Amino acid sequence: MKIAVFASGTGSNFAAIIESIKSKKINNVEVVLLVSDRPDALAVRTAINESIPVFTFTAKDYPNKQAYEEEILEKVTQLEVDFIVLAGYMRLLGHVLLHAFDRKIINVHPSLLPAFAGKDAIGQALDYGVKVTGVTVHFVDEGMDTGPIIDQRAVTIDPKETRETLIKKIQEQEHKLLPEVIQRLANKEAVK
Ligand code: GRF
């Protein structure tokens, strides 16, 4: 299964996918493209180091979302991408990609959806004072973190939890769950 990963930031999930492939924790999965809306993102540097093709763009150079998504679609079609994985991609997808990759786009989100959708889910959970939060991998639709849920992992919030310790616990779960779900998709297992 050929995947394209979309990332806007650090790309620790992207790195976890690459590591899972290299260490053969997951099989029959190939990352054929990294897409980023931030040419200076750390994820881009990781891709270059790993000799993974990169497509970067700056949204404001295009008249609208449709225009840059058409360019992305051309790339992913050329590379015969089967699945798109959003891993910290900070933009809502538009109809061009959603239509072409119906049920073939997944996202990882740092909360137990539907709680704490949107930005800074970890901060939202801490502010609310919940005792359990977690990680969700879901199919992407036109909404913000609203598509059908594939799998989740719970993370407890301890009384002395800080933002830093919680981020670490959440990331540990993300870095396991996302590659696991990708493997299930590659195996064509029923995930929903
Ligand atoms: C992750 O917490 C992910 O759940 C969210 O964005 C963050 C990306 O982190 N969608 P990284 O760039 O993979 O380190």
Side-chain angles (χ1 to χ4, degrees):
M1 182 176 77
K2 293 183 179 179
I3 63 171
V5 178
F6 288 32
S8 305
T10 320
S12 70
N13 282 282
F14 172 53
I17 295 167
I18 296 170
E19 163 55 25
S20 302
I21 294 172
K22 280 178 155 179
S23 64
K24 301 201 188 306
K25 269 184 236 134
I26 63 176
N27 300 289
N28 303 320
V29 177
E30 190 190 350
V31 182
V32 296
L33 183 68
L34 175 81
V35 173
S36 184
D37 58 334
R38 301 269 172 124
D40 58 347
L42 218 75
V44 172
R45 231 183 297 159
T46 305
I48 293 168
N49 288 341
E50 298 290 337
S51 308
I52 292 170
V54 175
F55 176 70
T56 60
F57 66 96
T58 305
K60 63 175 169 45
D61 294 345
Y62 293 80
N64 50 37
K65 192 185 291 265
Q66 181 175 341
Y68 66 73
E69 286 203 349
E70 273 166 3
E71 222 169 292
I72 297 172
L73 182 58
E74 208 178 297
K75 295 275 169 204
V76 295
T77 306
Q78 259 169 22
L79 291 165
E80 300 180 326
V81 166
D82 300 302
F83 259 91
I84 292 175
V85 177
L86 307 186
Y89 181 65
M90 301 305 283
R91 287 177 182 278
L92 279 179
L93 291 189
H95 67 272
V96 171
L97 287 172
L98 287 170
H99 178 73
F101 280 78
D102 186 30
R103 280 267 180 159
K104 289 188 168 171
I105 309 176
I106 61 169
N107 178 46
V108 58
H109 182 77
S111 77
L112 292 177
L113 289 171
F116 310 129
K119 283 195 178 150
D120 193 21
I122 295 176
Q124 290 185 54
L126 284 170
D127 288 348
Y128 201 95
V130 291
K131 305 303 173 200
V132 180
T133 184
V135 170
T136 302
V137 178
H138 64 96
F139 285 113
V140 173
D141 62 13
E142 63 287 340
M144 171 91 83
D145 305 318
T146 49
I149 291 170
I150 299 173
D151 208 347
Q152 298 184 300
R153 289 289 179 278
V155 170
T156 53
I157 301 184
D158 299 327
K160 288 190 180 148
E161 205 79 67
T162 64
R163 191 180 165 85
E164 287 64 40
T165 58
L166 185 56
I167 289 174
K168 191 162 177 282
K169 280 156 75 171
I170 296 248
Q171 280 188 340
E172 273 170 23
Q173 293 305 317
E174 287 187 334
H175 297 169
K176 280 190 220 155
L177 184 61
L178 183 58
E180 265 177 50
V181 170
I182 292 171
Q183 181 68 85
R184 280 183 238 156
L185 293 169
N187 294 349
K188 298 194 168 24
E189 285 172 35
V191 292
K192 189 57 206 141

Short mmCIF file of all heavy atoms in Angstrom, two decimals, residues 9-14 87-88 107-110 171 174, ligand 1:
data_model
loop_
_atom_site.label_atom_id
_atom_site.label_comp_id
_atom_site.label_asym_id
_atom_site.label_seq_id
_atom_site.Cartn_x
_atom_site.Cartn_y
_atom_site.Cartn_z
N GLY A 9 4.01 20.24 10.71
CA GLY A 9 4.89 20.62 11.83
C GLY A 9 6.07 19.70 12.05
O GLY A 9 6.79 19.33 11.12
N THR A 10 6.22 19.31 13.31
CA THR A 10 7.36 18.52 13.75
C THR A 10 7.47 17.19 13.01
O THR A 10 8.58 16.74 12.69
CB THR A 10 7.20 18.20 15.26
OG1 THR A 10 6.69 19.35 15.90
CG2 THR A 10 8.50 17.78 15.88
N GLY A 11 6.34 16.57 12.81
CA GLY A 11 6.35 15.31 12.07
C GLY A 11 6.80 14.12 12.89
O GLY A 11 7.37 13.17 12.36
N SER A 12 6.52 14.13 14.20
CA SER A 12 6.92 12.97 15.00
C SER A 12 6.10 11.73 14.60
O SER A 12 6.61 10.61 14.62
CB SER A 12 6.82 13.24 16.51
OG SER A 12 5.48 13.33 16.90
N ASN A 13 4.85 11.94 14.22
CA ASN A 13 4.05 10.80 13.73
C ASN A 13 4.56 10.30 12.39
O ASN A 13 4.58 9.09 12.14
CB ASN A 13 2.58 11.19 13.64
CG ASN A 13 1.91 11.20 14.99
OD1 ASN A 13 1.58 10.14 15.53
ND2 ASN A 13 1.76 12.38 15.57
N PHE A 14 4.94 11.22 11.56
CA PHE A 14 5.54 10.85 10.27
C PHE A 14 6.79 10.01 10.51
O PHE A 14 6.97 8.94 9.91
CB PHE A 14 5.86 12.15 9.51
CG PHE A 14 6.64 11.97 8.24
CD1 PHE A 14 6.23 11.11 7.25
CD2 PHE A 14 7.81 12.71 8.04
CE1 PHE A 14 6.95 10.96 6.07
CE2 PHE A 14 8.54 12.57 6.87
CZ PHE A 14 8.11 11.70 5.88
N ALA A 87 -1.07 13.76 9.43
CA ALA A 87 -0.35 13.62 10.71
C ALA A 87 0.12 15.01 11.12
O ALA A 87 1.24 15.42 10.82
CB ALA A 87 0.83 12.66 10.54
N GLY A 88 -0.80 15.76 11.73
CA GLY A 88 -0.47 17.13 12.10
C GLY A 88 -0.54 18.06 10.90
O GLY A 88 0.23 19.01 10.80
N ASN A 107 -6.81 10.50 9.81
CA ASN A 107 -6.18 11.56 10.60
C ASN A 107 -5.94 11.04 12.01
O ASN A 107 -6.69 10.21 12.51
CB ASN A 107 -7.11 12.77 10.66
CG ASN A 107 -6.56 13.91 11.49
OD1 ASN A 107 -5.39 14.28 11.36
ND2 ASN A 107 -7.38 14.48 12.36
N VAL A 108 -4.88 11.54 12.64
CA VAL A 108 -4.66 11.23 14.05
C VAL A 108 -4.90 12.51 14.84
O VAL A 108 -4.44 13.59 14.46
CB VAL A 108 -3.25 10.65 14.29
CG1 VAL A 108 -2.14 11.57 13.84
CG2 VAL A 108 -3.05 10.28 15.77
N HIS A 109 -5.66 12.36 15.95
CA HIS A 109 -6.03 13.53 16.75
C HIS A 109 -5.75 13.23 18.23
O HIS A 109 -6.08 12.15 18.71
CB HIS A 109 -7.51 13.85 16.53
CG HIS A 109 -7.94 15.07 17.28
ND1 HIS A 109 -7.65 16.35 16.85
CD2 HIS A 109 -8.61 15.21 18.46
CE1 HIS A 109 -8.13 17.22 17.73
NE2 HIS A 109 -8.71 16.55 18.71
N PRO A 110 -5.18 14.22 18.96
CA PRO A 110 -4.78 13.94 20.34
C PRO A 110 -5.87 14.14 21.40
O PRO A 110 -5.69 14.86 22.37
CB PRO A 110 -3.62 14.93 20.56
CG PRO A 110 -3.99 16.09 19.71
CD PRO A 110 -4.72 15.53 18.51
N GLN A 171 1.75 11.34 22.80
CA GLN A 171 2.58 11.03 21.61
C GLN A 171 2.96 9.55 21.59
O GLN A 171 2.96 8.93 20.52
CB GLN A 171 3.83 11.90 21.60
CG GLN A 171 3.54 13.29 21.07
CD GLN A 171 4.79 14.11 20.88
OE1 GLN A 171 5.84 13.81 21.45
NE2 GLN A 171 4.69 15.16 20.09
N GLU A 174 0.05 7.81 20.18
CA GLU A 174 -0.12 8.13 18.75
C GLU A 174 0.87 7.35 17.90
O GLU A 174 0.50 6.80 16.86
CB GLU A 174 0.14 9.63 18.50
CG GLU A 174 -0.93 10.54 19.00
CD GLU A 174 -0.71 11.99 18.57
OE1 GLU A 174 0.43 12.40 18.32
OE2 GLU A 174 -1.70 12.71 18.50
C1 GRF B 1 -0.36 15.23 16.80
O1 GRF B 1 -0.64 15.39 18.16
C2 GRF B 1 -1.60 14.86 16.05
O2 GRF B 1 -2.50 14.12 16.81
C3 GRF B 1 -2.19 16.18 15.70
O3 GRF B 1 -1.08 17.01 15.43
C4 GRF B 1 0.04 16.54 16.15
C5 GRF B 1 1.17 16.37 15.17
O4 GRF B 1 2.37 16.06 15.82
N1 GRF B 1 -3.12 16.07 14.60
P1 GRF B 1 3.64 15.66 14.99
O5 GRF B 1 3.89 16.77 13.96
O6 GRF B 1 3.37 14.34 14.33
O7 GRF B 1 4.74 15.59 15.98
#
